[in-house]
Amino acid sequence: MRRIYHFLPVWLVCNCISACLTDISSWMTAHHLKHNLSKTELLFITSTTGPHCDLAISFGNSLIASTEDARSLGVILDGQLSFSAHIANLTRSCRFLLYNIRRIRPFLSQEATQLLVQSLVISRLYYCNSLLAGLPLRAIRPLQLVQNAAARLIFNLPKFTHVTALLRSLHWLPVVACIRFKTLMLAYKAKNGPAPPYLMAMVKSRAVPRALRATSTARLEPPLLRTHGRQASRLLSVLAPRWWNELPLSVRTAESLAVIKRRLKTHLFIMHLIE
């Protein structure tokens, strides 16, 4: 079947972006804030079938050109949402921190080293890691290697020491499991609250026409519409129901946020580090 795509003309895209910038600037001025145009970045996130956009927007006395990647709240976004630049930058900064901690490791106890590593390195690996949900394992592997190096540094062990027992001793979930944990916690909050309305609209409980045993299983409804493209399976509306429905019943029916945190971490810990 042949598919026909309709794209907006370039001039209309430029006008829409300029109008958006005008609204942002007006809001900031009304709230006694300054819109720094020299630090404003323009990033086009397109599909694999969409056209490549290389535009420059005139706003005031400044010319804002499109970039290959842009930073938002410490996360580097790229046009294909591969997060390759973000992972490379995160890996580089964590390696540098581990190098500095390793230089003073002879003067630190194991507890002090663990405190330093968790506060300076592991916290960076956990920050906004739900954005990496659905990425292939080869893309996330550099972050897992950083976590492995951090565990070896805490126990002051050689480079090629097996890390599963170390992660188990530290009660650290592997990076892939941490990403799944964050995504599933978003699903729980979207299903039961509290969560922003735009997240709650992405996740819906499975509805049945009459009282059946399925009504007590706390499952989520998978999306009905077919999604196409490389990023389709990475949508929260696709990943969250699939991962949620794979959880044991005791996790899905947790009574509170504190309970599901404990049960979910235990389930992922057993699945990734014990089985």
Side-chain angles (χ1 to χ4, degrees):
M1 183 176 66
R2 184 179 175 185
R3 216 186 260 175
I4 301 176
Y5 294 91
H6 299 279
F7 302 105
L8 294 176
V10 174
W11 64 268
L12 184 56
V13 173
C14 294
N15 289 343
C16 291
I17 296 175
S18 297
C20 182
L21 289 174
T22 300
D23 291 341
I24 293 173
S25 182
S26 300
W27 182 89
M28 296 185 73
T29 302
H31 290 77
H32 309 287
L33 299 172
K34 178 177 174 57
H35 187 186
N36 193 345
L37 293 176
S38 63
K39 294 185 178 181
T40 301
E41 298 176 298
L42 178 62
L43 175 67
F44 288 96
I45 300 177
T46 61
S47 64
T48 55
T49 56
H52 175 70
C53 296
D54 188 12
L55 303 178
I57 307 299
S58 296
F59 184 75
N61 298 324
S62 301
L63 183 67
I64 304 174
S66 59
T67 60
E68 294 184 358
D69 51 61
R71 186 185 294 269
S72 178
L73 299 177
V75 178
I76 301 176
L77 305 172
D78 58 89
Q80 297 297 322
L81 293 181
S82 66
F83 292 98
S84 56
H86 174 69
I87 292 175
N89 180 71
L90 179 59
T91 302
R92 185 166 54 251
S93 62
C94 289
R95 290 284 185 186
F96 178 72
L97 289 169
L98 288 176
Y99 170 76
N100 286 333
I101 296 174
R102 188 175 292 109
R103 295 177 64 183
I104 61 173
R105 179 63 180 88
F107 309 102
L108 299 174
S109 64
Q110 180 175 314
E111 292 75 14
T113 306
Q114 181 176 348
L115 182 62
L116 270 178
V117 169
Q118 290 183 166
S119 59
L120 297 178
V121 179
I122 302 302
S123 61
R124 291 172 180 256
L125 294 181
Y126 289 173
Y127 177 70
C128 290
N129 61 358
S130 59
L131 293 173
L132 309 179
L135 285 178
L137 292 178
R138 65 177 181 275
I140 302 175
R141 179 170 170 75
L143 302 181
Q144 185 59 57
L145 293 178
V146 168
Q147 189 187 49
N148 295 348
R152 295 188 187 102
L153 178 60
I154 290 175
F155 292 99
N156 202 18
L157 294 174
K159 181 177 181 181
F160 297 103
T161 303
H162 195 61
V163 297
T164 301
L166 306 183
L167 297 178
R168 193 183 302 128
S169 176
L170 293 167
H171 295 278
W172 288 358
L173 290 174
V175 174
V176 174
C178 290
I179 294 172
R180 180 171 288 215
F181 177 85
K182 283 280 191 73
T183 305
L184 290 171
M185 289 307 303
L186 285 176
Y188 177 85
K189 293 177 182 178
K191 177 178 178 292
N192 301 287
Y198 68 90
L199 284 181
M200 297 180 70
M202 296 181 186
V203 175
K204 297 180 180 179
S205 299
R206 176 173 292 178
V208 292
R210 59 185 184 276
L212 299 174
R213 189 172 60 180
T215 59
S216 62
T217 58
R219 293 182 180 272
L220 296 179
E221 188 71 35
L224 298 177
L225 297 177
R226 287 191 175 185
T227 50
H228 300 274
R230 189 168 51 187
Q231 286 85 13
S233 61
R234 291 175 52 197
L235 297 173
L236 179 65
S237 58
V238 176
L239 278 181
R242 188 173 72 199
W243 287 352
W244 179 267
N245 294 338
E246 293 173 356
L247 293 175
L249 180 61
S250 60
V251 180
R252 296 198 306 269
T253 56
E255 301 84 9
S256 64
L257 188 63
V259 173
I260 192 175
K261 279 184 178 180
R262 183 174 65 253
R263 292 181 182 176
L264 179 57
K265 184 173 181 180
T266 301
H267 168 70
L268 295 175
F269 191 86
I270 293 173
M271 184 172 67
H272 289 270
L273 294 177
I274 295 180
E275 290 183 352

